[in-house]
Amino acid sequence: QVQLVQSGAEVKKPGASVKVSCKASGYSFTGYFLHWVRQAPGQGLEWMGWINPDSGGTNIPQNFQGRVTMTRDTSISTAYMELNRLRSDDTAVYYCARDRGDYSSDHWGQGTLVTVSS
Amino acid sequence: DIVMTQSPESLAVSLGERATINCKSSQSVLYSSNNKNYFGWYQQKPGQPPKLLIYWASTRESGVPDRFSGSGSGTDFTLTISSLQAEDVAVYYCQQYYSTPYTFGQGTKLEIK
């Protein structure tokens, strides 16, 4: 069965960086895009971009460009999302989600809580 | 960016009754070349990740009960739960994936009356 298992919770200081991992299993890792979505406490969902695990190509929206890097390691079926220059409003649960093939997301990781606090 | 606006923000429905959630996009998400709406609905229960319910605006994801249905095209969409069950208490989000950034509605909180 399809599974996406994310790395554990992180606490970071403002200005630092965080790298969240997402390990895929149960399907061909390079066959499906992966999305990253975040959710601030008590708030809605915000799409952060996708990565094509086959080519490494990414699509990152303007509001995250320059701060977000998405990479992957196909040898271990794992995708990574790194967010730099952290601010307090980056405190959120970060999800990876598999693309169904049409840019919707049919399987989600369990989420990784990133807390940014001085 | 395409803005997605859901209504209502919260909704209380009696068990067994119908629940209806609306979502309006600021521009059409219908792709003319394949006549598909790049639009979906997700359900999120507390402490859980979102779950895809509906894609292409009206196609139920595998395993989703048939009491959930999606309708609409272009800019106006509806999620209907035909007979509310206790396990349907959740926040529901719409999403357009027609153009980046793929945007979500603000969510509709569904409760039991």
Side-chain angles (χ1 to χ4, degrees), chain A:
Chain A
Q1 74 283 18
V2 174
Q3 275 197 306
L4 297 171
V5 178
Q6 299 183 221
S7 47
E10 304 261 14
V11 179
K12 297 290 183 181
K13 293 195 182 303
S17 298
V18 68
K19 191 170 186 177
V20 179
S21 68
C22 172
K23 182 170 177 59
S25 62
Y27 72 98
S28 172
F29 178 66
T30 55
Y32 297 80
F33 286 15
L34 271 174
H35 300 268
W36 289 91
V37 176
R38 74 177 182 179
Q39 186 170 37
Q43 302 301 308
L45 302 167
E46 182 178 24
W47 182 76
M48 300 180 67
W50 56 247
I51 182 169
N52 177 347
D54 188 27
S55 67
T58 60
N59 187 318
I60 298 170
Q62 191 170 19
N63 60 315
F64 287 110
Q65 284 179 9
R67 280 214 306 148
V68 167
T69 304
M70 295 180 186
T71 57
R72 91 292 189 217
D73 184 340
T74 57
S75 69
I76 55 172
S77 299
T78 299
Y80 303 92
M81 188 284 298
E82 184 171 25
L83 182 59
N84 301 314
R85 302 192 301 278
L86 287 167
R87 309 183 296 247
S88 58
D89 62 356
D90 291 319
T91 294
V93 175
Y94 290 77
Y95 295 103
C96 62
R98 192 187 77 161
D99 189 296
R100 203 191 68 83
D102 61 350
Y103 304 110
S104 65
S105 298
D106 63 354
H107 290 88
W108 294 64
Q110 83 275 19
T112 296
L113 175 61
V114 175
T115 303
V116 182
S117 173
S118 55

